[in-house]
Amino acid sequence: MSPKALDYSQLHDLFSRYAAGEDLSRLNREWTLDVNKTGYIPTIIVVLAIIAVLAAIIFQSMN
């Protein structure tokens, strides 16, 4: 379960448990794994775009 999958009642329960002093560090470890799953795709696209621009510049300078 990730924070996005929680509805209002589940979120309210989670905050109530946190306020009561329950150790929720397990959730932090689980949710941290979900944070950057799609973050790599835009980075790869940007890197490939930079490589393409550099290749175009090098190819034009050779002609």
Side-chain angles (χ1 to χ4, degrees):
M1 181 185 308
S2 67
K4 293 180 251 178
L6 297 176
D7 63 11
Y8 176 77
S9 63
Q10 292 171 322
L11 191 59
H12 183 270
D13 179 55
L14 186 63
F15 278 111
S16 297
R17 289 170 40 203
Y18 178 75
E22 186 175 331
D23 180 26
L24 300 176
S25 59
R26 172 187 59 82
L27 296 177
N28 185 30
R29 285 191 302 274
E30 290 175 6
W31 289 349
T32 303
L33 297 175
D34 291 337
V35 171
N36 287 322
K37 284 188 177 178
T38 59
Y40 299 113
I41 294 172
T43 304
I44 291 171
I45 292 171
V46 168
V47 168
L48 291 176
I50 292 171
I51 291 172
V53 168
L54 291 175
I57 291 171
I58 291 171
F59 182 73
Q60 286 181 350
S61 68
M62 295 174 97
N63 289 333

